[in-house]
Amino acid sequence: MPKRVTVFLNGQDVNGKAMLVPETLERLLAAALAKLIIPKPVTEAVDNDVPQTTTADKVAYRLFTAKGGEIDDLEVIRDDETLYLVAEGEPFIGRPRPTTTAAASKTPTCDIKTAKKLSRRKQRSAEKASGDGHYKSTYKVLEDDWIRLNIGGKVFTTTRGTIVAKEPDSMLARMFDRNHKTNEHQTLLVPGRQDETGAYLIDRSPDYFEPLLGYLRHGSLILDRHLNPAGVLEEAKFYGFYALLPELEATVLQEAMLGNSIERHVGVAPLTRREVVKALVGTPTETRLRFQGVNLAGADLSKLDLSNINFKYAILRGANLQGANLKDCCLERADLSRCTLEGATLINCHMVCANLEGSNLRGSNMESNSLNQITNLEGANLNNTNLEGSQMRRVNLRVASLKHANVQNCNLDCACLAGANLENCDLSGSDLNEANLRGANLKGTRFELIHTPLHMSYLAS
């Protein structure tokens, strides 16, 4: 999974750009130079008719960490690290230190924003004195609240309140919310360039953005029949509408199942235990068996050795997999709802976006003793599941949904639950040593009798 960094200009802590780390350091430098706007000195008057050029292409640049260490190898860059772009020959400053009151009193400054605020205050005072200030002030506020977005050539008009209210931590909210409060993992974003009408340019698909704007307006996601939900899902990830991801993941999964070749034939009966055993016996050990998209709904597969089988998109709804060995299996986007997986072995299983709603996984083994054999349940639907007493060391449950799940007395040592939905989830008695809960929804989550204290660094969003 590629690492992500936030790059600032030397001596600044605003207007940074978040980007994925490419294959080479030269590409990272080129991307940082292309995205960051090299600031020009502020003068008393700016002539927009006189073209101003930048010398960014003529000056060599280097990247430094927040502590002043120069980056000469991509391997030393950590995920979500803050970097600074420093020109050759320029001393490293890093994050600017706040100016003391005494120093500020000796060298008073007035930037353009402050001057505009003072000008508006004087204008409001004059309006009040003339008697028509209420109308003009109200008109000005309403005018500022309307925002025009040019998404892929199509212009959308909305309000600042619509953008901010539903998804306050999204990319658009961080662009246009004047009162957005950032933390150490977030930075304010500067809107991109504007077209000739003043609309902000964003190079994305307008068709997939339209239902997202409707969601911001009335709180419901409505998809037209001609729209591919996978495209809307990618746009939701881009704009940072994380509350929509579980719903869209489930929609994409449902669409994939309905479009599968097995489901196209009406009346195809699910495979039986006898047929599965026959396929297992007739397959050489060095060949990976494929049950991709196969209908196994309600099948009794208990205590079978099903290791290293491809069950991607398979329909296992209501199947009995008690005590089965599913080590190294691919269950990506498979339907495992209401399954019995009690005591099953799920080590190194790839279960991204799988549907396990209402399933029984009590006492299952997902424990990983190395980073090379991690059970991946990223984005999976585990609502109302029973995971009591399961071994889940190092399991990846990033952005998974575990609403009303029973996760009592589980070993979640070093597990990743970042961004997971743990609403009303019962984690009583579980071992959460070094578990990553950043950004998780902990509304109503129970933590009674946990083995180790939770560190705030692992809970910070």
Side-chain angles (χ1 to χ4, degrees):
M1 190 171 182
K3 293 181 282 191
R4 185 180 65 178
V5 295
T6 304
V7 183
F8 293 90
L9 289 176
N10 190 23
Q12 294 190 15
D13 59 354
V14 295
N15 302 337
K17 298 294 182 182
M19 59 188 71
L20 295 176
V21 178
E23 295 82 3
T24 64
L25 182 60
E26 291 75 15
R27 289 189 180 181
L28 179 58
L29 277 167
L33 285 171
K35 288 191 176 184
L36 288 171
I37 302 173
I38 308 301
K40 304 176 180 64
V42 179
T43 58
E44 294 182 0
V46 178
D47 187 359
N48 293 326
D49 297 329
V50 179
Q52 300 182 17
T53 60
T54 177
T55 59
D57 297 331
K58 301 178 182 179
V59 180
Y61 282 83
R62 298 172 296 168
L63 286 171
F64 285 79
T65 65
K67 295 184 179 180
E70 183 177 355
I71 300 294
D72 56 5
D73 189 349
L74 292 180
E75 295 298 327
V76 301
I77 298 177
R78 295 175 297 179
D79 192 24
D80 286 332
E81 188 166 14
T82 300
L83 303 179
Y84 291 90
L85 190 64
V86 182
E88 189 72 37
E90 178 185 355
F92 171 77
I93 301 173
R95 186 174 183 178
R97 296 180 180 178
T99 307
T100 60
T101 306
S105 62
K106 291 180 182 178
T107 57
T109 59
C110 182
D111 57 9
I112 294 176
K113 290 184 179 179
T114 306
K116 287 183 178 179
K117 288 181 180 179
L118 292 174
S119 176
R120 284 198 292 267
R121 288 176 184 174
K122 290 180 181 179
Q123 183 181 358
R124 284 196 291 268
S125 299
E127 289 170 354
K128 289 180 180 179
S130 63
D132 60 346
H134 175 73
Y135 170 77
K136 292 183 178 179
S137 299
T138 304
Y139 176 78
K140 182 65 177 176
V141 170
L142 292 174
E143 184 182 43
D144 287 347
D145 277 350
W146 283 100
I147 294 171
R148 289 163 56 82
L149 302 172
N150 186 335
I151 312 289
K154 184 175 181 180
V155 177
F156 297 88
T157 304
T158 185
T159 64
R160 196 182 306 274
T162 298
I163 290 175
V164 173
K166 195 70 179 176
E167 294 282 350
D169 293 323
S170 68
M171 183 188 79
L172 293 177
R174 289 161 62 191
M175 282 183 178
F176 299 108
D177 185 8
R178 299 190 184 101
N179 303 316
H180 184 79
K181 296 181 180 179
T182 60
N183 54 42
E184 60 179 341
H185 302 290
Q186 288 185 339
T187 57
L188 291 174
L189 298 177
V190 177
R193 296 179 181 179
Q194 295 173 273
D195 62 15
E196 62 277 2
T197 66
Y200 293 98
L201 292 163
I202 300 178
D203 187 18
R204 301 293 292 188
S205 169
D207 296 332
Y208 294 137
F209 175 76
E210 193 164 2
L212 297 179
L213 182 58
Y215 159 74
L216 292 178
R217 286 170 172 162
H218 47 67
S220 298
L221 181 66
I222 301 174
L223 301 179
D224 292 337
R225 291 184 178 180
H226 70 278
L227 277 182
N228 187 344
V232 181
L233 173 62
E234 291 304 315
E235 294 304 293
K237 291 179 180 178
F238 173 79
Y239 291 108
F241 296 167
Y242 296 113
L244 275 179
L245 296 187
E247 179 181 350
L248 282 168
E249 289 281 9
T251 304
V252 170
L253 176 62
Q254 184 180 8
E255 289 286 330
M257 288 179 175
L258 291 175
N260 190 274
S261 58
I262 296 296
E263 289 291 289
R264 287 175 186 170
H265 302 285
V266 179
V268 174
L271 296 183
T272 63
R273 180 185 179 94
R274 184 185 184 90
E275 292 169 323
V276 172
V277 172
K278 184 177 179 180
L280 290 172
V281 173
T283 304
T285 54
E286 64 273 9
T287 303
R288 188 176 194 186
L289 189 58
R290 293 171 60 90
F291 281 113
Q292 184 169 340
V294 172
N295 187 359
L296 293 161
D300 181 10
L301 305 175
S302 58
K303 299 182 180 179
L304 289 180
D305 184 2
L306 304 170
S307 58
N308 201 33
I309 294 179
N310 185 356
F311 287 106
K312 187 174 182 179
Y313 293 122
I315 303 168
L316 291 150
R317 189 183 311 114
N320 181 8
L321 290 157
Q322 183 176 1
N325 181 11
L326 292 161
K327 183 180 178 182
D328 301 322
C329 281
C330 177
L331 288 155
E332 181 180 350
R333 302 182 186 278
D335 184 2
L336 292 151
S337 57
R338 300 189 302 278
C339 267
T340 300
L341 286 154
E342 187 172 358
T345 300
L346 298 164
I347 297 173
N348 199 32
C349 257
H350 187 72
M351 306 172 75
V352 173
C353 300
N355 181 16
L356 290 144
E357 184 169 6
S359 294
N360 180 12
L361 290 93
R362 184 176 180 180
S364 59
N365 184 10
M366 310 177 203
E367 185 172 11
S368 172
N369 293 319
S370 68
L371 296 175
N372 298 324
Q373 292 188 333
I374 294 177
T375 300
N376 191 354
L377 282 154
E378 182 171 348
N381 179 6
L382 291 155
N383 295 337
N384 299 299
T385 56
N386 183 5
L387 289 154
E388 184 176 358
S390 294
Q391 298 299 315
M392 304 172 71
R393 187 169 188 264
R394 286 201 177 98
V395 68
N396 181 12
L397 287 160
R398 183 177 176 271
V399 299
S401 182
L402 291 96
K403 289 178 64 175
H404 304 283
N406 179 5
V407 197
Q408 297 183 65
N409 305 314
C410 290
N411 180 9
L412 287 160
D413 181 28
C414 300
C416 178
L417 291 141
N421 185 2
L422 300 173
E423 183 177 346
N424 297 319
C425 178
D426 191 351
L427 287 161
S428 301
S430 292
D431 184 358
L432 292 164
N433 182 39
E434 296 189 24
N436 184 357
L437 291 160
R438 286 191 178 96
N441 178 12
L442 302 176
K443 182 180 179 181
T445 307
R446 298 181 61 186
F447 291 102
E448 286 86 353
L449 302 175
I450 58 174
H451 290 191
T452 54
L454 294 177
H455 297 284
M456 292 306 296
S457 59
Y458 297 115
L459 289 168
S461 58

